[in-house]
Amino acid sequence: MKLTTRGHYSVKALLDLSLQPNYGPASVKAIAKRQDIPAPYLEKLLIEMRRAGLVKSIRGSVGGYQLAQEPRKISIAQILEAVGESLTNLPHHTPTPGQTEDWVTFSLWQRLNQKLKEALDSITLADLYYDARSWQASLGEEANFVV
């Protein structure tokens, strides 16, 4: 699996939202500026994630987007699936019974893809937040919320 720009930006945007005080709303413009993401592209991603129930939009002058759930309840798999990222790279054919080596390879890829899916399901926004803070602390840096 390759993490595309679409997936990368989506994870960055939601991690940014998880860092807002009391998970309050943030404007697309503010997130885009902090995370160096083109605002029109970010808006499209946030709309897809809103449809998936990961974020909600708040109207008004202090509105924007905010997480629909706590960061510990949002997995990386959910984010990637919300924006149409494929979590599997299985071959699109099923080997015939006479192709033993293809069955072995096919079985191996099935198992690897299952493990990858399980890993992405188990990693949450909260995990990424703590990983980033630990890494920054180990470098002696102040908290920098650009992901």
Side-chain angles (χ1 to χ4, degrees):
M1 178 191 159
K2 179 180 177 184
L3 186 61
T4 65
T5 301
R6 183 177 188 78
H8 185 208
Y9 285 175
S10 298
V11 172
K12 285 175 64 163
L14 291 197
L15 187 54
D16 187 280
L17 288 175
S18 76
L19 300 170
Q20 299 309 306
N22 299 317
Y23 309 123
S27 70
V28 171
K29 185 177 178 181
I31 299 167
K33 184 176 180 181
R34 281 192 299 266
Q35 301 304 327
D36 194 26
I37 301 173
Y41 189 60
L42 176 60
E43 179 76 42
K44 290 176 185 176
L45 295 173
L46 287 166
I47 288 170
E48 289 180 39
M49 289 186 281
R50 188 191 67 203
R51 287 183 187 136
L54 298 178
V55 297
K56 54 187 174 181
S57 58
I58 308 297
R59 295 180 186 255
S61 60
V62 292
Y65 286 90
Q66 70 183 83
L67 296 178
Q69 305 172 52
E70 295 176 26
R72 66 182 176 83
K73 294 182 179 179
I74 300 175
S75 74
I76 302 308
Q78 289 174 299
I79 298 168
L80 297 177
E81 288 170 349
V83 295
E85 290 290 286
S86 173
L87 300 183
T88 62
N89 288 325
L90 284 176
H92 295 288
H93 77 285
T94 302
T96 62
Q99 298 171 307
T100 305
E101 66 281 351
D102 285 349
W103 274 103
V104 170
T105 303
F106 184 76
S107 177
L108 174 63
W109 280 111
Q110 278 186 316
R111 293 177 78 169
L112 287 172
N113 280 313
Q114 181 59 36
K115 294 297 182 188
L116 176 61
K117 175 91 169 83
E118 289 170 9
L120 291 172
D121 279 333
S122 72
I123 301 169
T124 67
L125 282 176
D127 295 326
L128 292 183
Y129 169 82
Y130 291 117
D131 288 348
R133 292 300 299 257
S134 295
W135 177 69
Q136 290 172 334
S138 73
L139 296 175
E141 294 181 5
E142 289 184 34
N144 178 358
F145 295 119
V146 175
V147 189

